[in-house]
């Protein structure tokens, strides 16, 4: 996520703080899963700070990091989008949630049968997993997470999806080159965007018996 234990600790604390602020701004229960996403991302970075301090390996911190990064986020993101998206987009997002659930089940099985390992590589941490059908899992992961944002029917979540797609590609290139890990910066930017989304999202009055607010 970040380039050192200290950077992960600082960034994780800041992102979790944004998550607290997001949850405090929630005006509808349907917003809560996405509003709480920065809390999960912040916790993820704090876990990686422990991975740095332990020198990598396959200990509990590495396992916790892998569980959050792989099966949990694969379900959390499309489920959160499904809760928040307008009615006309729910069918397609529901289909992506199914893709995410199947992918998460396969990822969880892979982690259960082959422990994750972490290796410190300069300013990056390399994670190694023994997962079957890796190209299929990657496709399912991207469809469930980025795809659900792009097909959410909400313009602000669409912009977030584009940012995630472009930013993740740039972070992945830097990480693959073992130059520096910048995922924490992307998580911070996305968390701030979610904070703005929660604060400006129209409140639907559909539950009260009136017409649904437009997105």
């Amino acid at each position: 996520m970040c380039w050192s234990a200290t950077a992960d600790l600082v960034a994780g604390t800041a992102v979790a703080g944004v998550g607290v602020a997001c949850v405090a701004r929630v005006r509808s229960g349907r917003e809560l899963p996405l509003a709480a996403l920065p809390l999960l991302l912040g916790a993820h970075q704090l876990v990686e700070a422990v991975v740095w301090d332990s020198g990598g390996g396959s200990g509990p911190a590495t396992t916790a990091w892998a569980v959050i990064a792989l099966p949990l986020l694969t379900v959390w993101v499309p489920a959160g989008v499904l809760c928040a998206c307008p009615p006309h987009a729910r069918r397609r997002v529901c289909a992506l949630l199914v893709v995410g659930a199947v992918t998460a089940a396969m990822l969880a099985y892979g982690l259960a049968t082959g422990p994750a390992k972490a290796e410190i590589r300069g300013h990056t941490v390399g994670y190694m997993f023994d997962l079957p059908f890796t190209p299929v899992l990657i496709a399912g992961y991207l469809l469930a997470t980025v795809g659900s944002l792009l097909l959410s029917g909400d313009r602000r979540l669409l912009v977030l999806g584009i940012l995630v797609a472009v930013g993740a590609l740039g972070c992945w290139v830097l990480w693959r080159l073992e130059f520096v890990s910048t995922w924490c910066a992307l998580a911070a930017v996305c968390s701030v965007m979610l904070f703005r989304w929660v604060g400006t999202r129209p409140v639907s009055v559909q539950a009260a018996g009136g017409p649904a607010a437009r997105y």
Side-chain angles (χ1 to χ4, degrees):
M1 296 288 289
C2 267
W3 53 88
S4 70
T6 301
D8 261 320
L9 184 61
V10 172
T13 301
V15 170
V18 174
V20 172
C22 284
V23 172
R25 299 185 84 182
V26 165
R27 295 175 293 172
S28 166
R30 300 185 68 89
E31 298 176 341
L32 186 57
L34 277 183
L37 182 57
L39 283 173
L40 181 63
L41 296 177
H44 197 210
Q45 294 178 50
L46 295 175
V47 168
E48 188 173 77
V50 179
V51 175
W52 278 101
D53 284 337
S54 61
S58 55
T62 300
T63 300
W65 187 97
V67 169
I68 295 173
L70 299 178
L72 185 52
L73 278 175
T74 309
V75 174
W76 189 302
V77 174
V81 173
L82 180 61
C83 288
C85 70
H88 71 267
R90 287 174 189 164
R91 180 175 296 181
R92 63 193 184 219
V93 176
C94 186
L96 293 177
L97 176 58
V98 172
V99 172
V102 173
T103 303
M106 296 175 67
L107 289 169
Y109 176 79
L111 292 177
T113 56
K117 296 180 181 179
E119 182 180 274
I120 306 300
R121 303 170 182 170
H123 293 294
T124 67
V125 180
Y127 293 91
M128 294 156 282
F129 313 102
D130 186 15
L131 299 174
F133 312 112
T134 302
V136 175
L137 292 177
I138 292 174
Y141 187 95
L142 293 176
L143 278 173
T145 53
V146 179
S148 62
L149 292 169
L150 295 177
L151 299 179
S152 65
D154 184 310
R155 287 190 298 273
R156 285 153 296 181
L157 293 182
L158 169 62
V159 172
L160 177 60
I162 294 172
L163 173 66
V164 170
V166 175
L169 179 60
C171 291
W172 179 80
V173 170
L174 292 173
W175 176 79
R176 287 289 294 176
L177 293 173
E178 298 184 7
F179 175 64
V180 67
S181 183
T182 54
W183 296 98
C184 55
L186 178 60
V189 172
C190 292
S191 296
V192 171
M193 290 189 67
L194 282 172
F195 176 78
R196 295 185 62 186
W197 171 79
V198 173
T200 59
R201 185 171 180 265
V203 178
S204 173
V205 296
Q206 189 175 28
R214 292 185 178 182
Y215 286 74

